[in-house]
Amino acid sequence: MAKRHAEDSLEETFFSDSPASKKARVDHHPKNYSPLNGYSLSPVAPGSTNGQQHRADGDIGNEEQAAAESRKEESNSTASRASSVELEEDKSAFAAPARQTAPLEGYNDLYLDTVNRSVLDFDFEKLCSVTLSNINVYACLICGKYYQGRGPRSHAYFHALEVGHHVYVNMQTKRVYVLPEGYEVKSKSLDDIKFVVDPQLSRDEVAKLDKEAKDAWDLSGKKYRPGFVGMNNIKENDYFNVTIQALAHISPLRNFLMLENLSQKSEIVQRFSVLIRKIWNTRAFKIHVSPHELLQQISRQSNKRFDLLHQSDPVDFLSWFLNNLHLALGGSKTKPGTSIVHRVFQGKLKVESQQITAKADAGDRLRFEEAAEVLVDTIRYLMLTLDLPAAPLFQDELDRNIIPQVPLTSILSKYDGLRSQEHLNTRKRYRLLHPLPPYLLFHIKRFSKNKFVSEHNPTIVTFPVRSLDMSPYVEPNPFIHPPGEPIWYDLVANVTHEAVRTRDDSVEGEAERKVWRVQVRDRARDEWLEVQDLFVERVATETLFTKESYLMVWERRKEAKVRSGR
């Protein structure tokens, strides 16, 4: 049997650069090549010649080649159709709905019936619930959540597509949009929501706040008094709540924050202004407010000295807050009267000091010597500290603890310029100077701390609610105020302290927890209300002094100014 010769020599195959492509191998296959295994499996008829066998193999190869090409074309066409379908599906999946500049004709109120006012709460910090960014934040009016942006790739846009919530309000511009269409809603039915986001009262409405008694109702029909609403105690921020409630009833400061344009001021001023306007909101959705937004800013600005997780002292917070508010409003550290804070609270105090010599007897340590030098200094103050007499250490004859009482005029004698106090090796005495500020802040010092223990003085301070005469404690100045004429002050707010014993599993046993309340006067009704976090209730005027007063706000009568001008 003759051997079949190879088509290519070994040398040519070995030194070739690369095998031919698949298409080249299909086009240039041997004549007896089969698509199945490379050669024809058809049996050779006996007696047939080599030429006939080659023609038969060639015919079969041509037919199989044509079939393979047809199958290849079909597979290519099928693949092209599948890819085109996939592209169409991708386009349909990522194709955004058509953006509109205005609603279609006849669909002006589309989706507005889905707005749920009962879940809207604009008191918390305006942060996107996904990115925690405070830039370009929108509130969903259906679920109340915050999202950033309203473009085709924004979180508010995807929220509208995924959940089907379509109405959003911009927290900065107060403009309402429908997503994903993107057009602005001009309907007047949403004006109440825009008002709750940022309450704005006219000058006439602000002027009537202290003159006309007005009641309001929230969404659930509950009655409340604007200006006398509860404030949410998120965790331990009751010290903050009572301070803000007291400041909200100081008329010049309140009117300034409600009427002036503070958009160019710092963040702490803007958030304080919004909180004051929400306290006096006459169209609120609920009968309480949350100070979360202002608290977060104060926590950042004070390096977490004052936050909502740890209870602090109201006087410490008030001192820090007034000074930072003064600077945020553009006030000067050296020039007086450069902000509304100084114009309302700042006064002048004369301090006389003298060194205590070693020759002074025990009874004469506080008596000023005429021969010795007396240093006189004038300082400015925002708050006056009143010292309580020492509490008794023993019980009375009935084995009951004695709760001493002291009149307010008695502890105010510290500023009469006659009684002196000892500070280290110096004796000092104080005297108020004219003119007195429109509002006086009294801090009744109840807590003292040393290296070993912290003491609490429960002495009750009795005081008149109206007609506190401050003239005995002011150095006469006939050019400013006629000598002998009284200077009347009326109480506006009174922050009280209560020590509540709580059970403690530690070694010390029971511990005392501080509870802060504030008593504020309703000028329009001439009534007093007590506010503790979310609870607001009326209190009798005669029982105000029965609590442990800690911080008092007194307002100077306007009649005194008129009389002094005559």
Side-chain angles (χ1 to χ4, degrees):
M1 183 176 179
K3 294 183 179 180
R4 181 172 60 86
H5 297 284
E7 295 182 0
D8 298 326
S9 63
L10 181 60
E11 291 79 3
E12 294 176 356
T13 303
F14 183 76
F15 293 105
S16 62
D17 294 335
S18 62
S21 62
K22 182 177 180 180
K23 185 176 180 181
R25 293 200 302 270
V26 172
D27 294 340
H28 303 285
H29 56 75
K31 292 183 178 180
N32 58 347
Y33 173 81
S34 172
L36 296 177
N37 58 5
Y39 295 94
S40 176
L41 298 180
S42 302
V44 180
S48 62
T49 61
N50 290 338
Q52 292 175 349
Q53 183 177 354
H54 289 168
R55 282 194 302 272
D57 293 342
D59 294 338
I60 294 174
N62 292 333
E63 293 175 359
E64 292 175 348
Q65 179 181 358
E69 291 179 354
S70 64
R71 285 195 298 270
K72 183 177 179 181
E73 292 177 356
E74 291 178 359
S75 63
N76 291 336
S77 63
T78 304
S80 63
R81 286 196 300 271
S83 62
S84 63
V85 171
E86 291 177 356
L87 289 175
E88 290 178 0
E89 291 179 354
D90 292 342
K91 289 181 180 179
S92 62
F94 292 96
R99 304 285 281 182
Q100 303 175 11
T101 57
L104 299 177
E105 185 177 358
Y107 295 93
N108 295 334
D109 297 333
L110 191 63
Y111 304 125
L112 297 189
D113 58 337
T114 62
V115 173
N116 188 1
R117 288 171 171 81
S118 61
V119 300
L120 300 181
D121 189 354
F122 303 117
D123 293 343
F124 289 88
E125 195 170 11
K126 306 328 186 264
L127 297 178
C128 174
S129 58
V130 179
T131 63
L132 299 182
S133 173
N134 60 354
I135 301 174
N136 196 22
V137 176
Y138 288 77
C140 176
L141 298 185
I142 290 84
C143 65
K145 294 182 179 179
Y146 294 144
Y147 294 97
Q148 186 179 18
R150 62 181 178 90
R153 296 182 181 273
S154 64
H155 296 288
Y157 186 89
F158 288 124
H159 181 68
L161 293 177
E162 294 172 358
V163 186
H165 296 173
H166 299 284
V167 189
Y168 297 81
V169 60
N170 186 294
M171 301 308 297
Q172 187 69 27
T173 63
K174 316 301 180 295
R175 301 171 72 176
V176 181
Y177 296 89
V178 168
L179 298 181
E181 287 81 359
Y183 61 84
E184 184 179 357
V185 178
K186 303 289 187 180
S187 176
K188 296 291 185 181
S189 62
L190 300 178
D191 288 349
D192 60 335
I193 297 178
K194 298 179 182 179
F195 186 84
V196 170
V197 172
D198 187 15
Q200 298 284 348
L201 297 181
S202 64
R203 291 190 176 272
D204 293 337
E205 292 174 327
V206 172
K208 296 177 182 178
L209 291 178
D210 296 332
K211 299 177 181 178
E212 297 181 1
K214 184 176 182 180
D215 294 323
W217 288 263
D218 67 350
L219 287 178
S220 60
K222 294 182 179 180
K223 185 179 178 181
Y224 72 95
R225 297 185 187 183
F228 303 88
V229 296
M231 193 173 293
N232 188 18
N233 185 3
I234 303 173
K235 190 171 178 62
E236 293 289 346
N237 58 283
D238 53 347
Y239 72 95
F240 172 90
N241 295 351
V242 296
T243 306
I244 297 301
Q245 292 278 17
L247 293 177
H249 290 82
I250 298 176
S251 300
L253 181 63
R254 178 201 64 193
N255 298 348
F256 175 84
L257 294 171
M258 295 183 69
L259 297 176
E260 296 295 326
N261 182 14
L262 304 174
S263 59
Q264 302 300 323
K265 300 297 181 180
S266 65
E267 196 70 20
I268 190 172
V269 175
Q270 296 184 33
R271 296 191 179 189
F272 184 42
S273 172
V274 171
L275 182 58
I276 294 296
R277 283 184 271 124
K278 288 182 178 179
I279 292 176
W280 290 93
N281 186 7
T282 57
R283 290 180 277 171
F285 286 172
K286 54 187 185 302
I287 60 174
H288 64 272
V289 296
S290 177
H292 181 267
E293 197 170 12
L294 178 59
L295 257 175
Q296 291 294 91
Q297 179 63 30
I298 290 175
S299 178
R300 288 190 293 266
Q301 196 161 329
S302 65
N303 295 324
K304 296 187 178 180
R305 178 183 173 188
F306 305 103
D307 58 9
L308 53 86
L309 300 178
H310 306 90
Q311 192 179 57
S312 299
D313 189 275
V315 171
D316 291 343
F317 168 70
L318 180 61
S319 301
W320 179 92
F321 186 67
L322 289 181
N323 283 285
N324 281 267
L325 189 65
H326 165 71
L327 297 177
L329 289 170
S332 172
K333 293 183 179 181
T334 56
K335 295 182 180 179
T338 52
S339 75
I340 184 66
V341 176
H342 280 188
R343 291 194 293 269
V344 171
F345 298 111
Q346 192 180 64
K348 292 188 297 183
L349 179 68
K350 184 178 75 171
V351 181
E352 296 178 329
S353 58
Q354 188 180 68
Q355 293 290 329
I356 300 177
T357 61
K359 299 179 181 180
D361 299 333
D364 296 335
R365 292 182 64 84
L366 298 181
R367 183 175 59 85
F368 274 72
E369 300 175 359
E370 297 181 359
E373 181 184 3
V374 177
L375 300 179
V376 181
D377 191 15
T378 301
I379 62 174
R380 298 185 180 274
Y381 65 88
L382 294 177
M383 186 184 309
L384 296 175
T385 301
L386 307 180
D387 301 319
L388 290 175
L393 300 178
F394 305 101
Q395 296 177 334
D396 60 4
E397 64 275 6
L398 300 178
D399 293 334
R400 292 180 301 184
N401 290 327
I402 301 175
I403 301 179
Q405 297 184 10
V406 59
L408 178 62
T409 54
S410 176
I411 58 178
L412 272 174
S413 60
K414 171 183 177 180
Y415 298 99
D416 61 3
L418 302 176
R419 299 188 183 185
S420 57
Q421 296 180 343
E422 182 178 351
H423 294 273
L424 298 178
N425 61 341
T426 306
R427 59 175 72 94
K428 293 185 177 182
R429 58 189 179 192
Y430 307 93
R431 193 73 184 268
L432 300 178
L433 298 177
H434 282 295
L436 290 180
Y439 286 81
L440 284 173
L441 299 176
F442 292 161
H443 166 216
I444 301 176
K445 191 174 181 180
R446 294 188 176 275
F447 303 99
S448 60
K449 185 181 297 185
N450 53 36
K451 296 180 180 180
F452 306 101
V453 68
S454 176
E455 296 181 354
H456 162 229
N457 192 331
T459 302
I460 298 298
V461 178
T462 59
F463 53 86
V465 176
R466 298 178 65 87
S467 302
L468 174 66
D469 186 12
M470 291 295 297
S471 59
Y473 317 105
V474 185
E475 187 172 278
N477 188 345
F479 297 100
I480 298 178
H481 186 80
E485 290 289 335
I487 305 175
W488 299 119
Y489 277 81
D490 299 327
L491 186 64
V492 174
N494 182 34
V495 175
T496 64
H497 165 265
E498 181 181 358
V500 178
R501 293 189 177 274
T502 59
R503 187 173 181 179
D504 194 355
D505 296 333
S506 62
V507 180
E508 290 81 5
E510 291 185 348
E512 284 190 355
R513 182 173 62 90
K514 297 177 181 178
V515 176
W516 302 103
R517 297 183 178 90
V518 60
Q519 301 164 343
V520 288
R521 180 163 65 96
D522 186 352
R523 294 182 176 89
R525 296 178 173 88
D526 197 17
E527 296 177 352
W528 283 87
L529 292 94
E530 187 175 71
V531 184
Q532 180 191 359
D533 298 333
L534 297 177
F535 302 98
V536 182
E537 59 182 2
R538 278 189 60 185
V539 292
T541 306
E542 296 79 9
T543 62
L544 295 180
F545 68 90
T546 59
K547 304 291 181 68
E548 296 181 10
S549 299
Y550 188 66
L551 177 64
M552 309 178 78
V553 182
W554 293 84
E555 179 185 22
R556 185 170 180 173
R557 282 189 193 172
K558 295 182 179 179
E559 291 83 2
K561 292 184 179 181
V562 175
R563 188 179 300 173
S564 64
R566 292 177 181 174

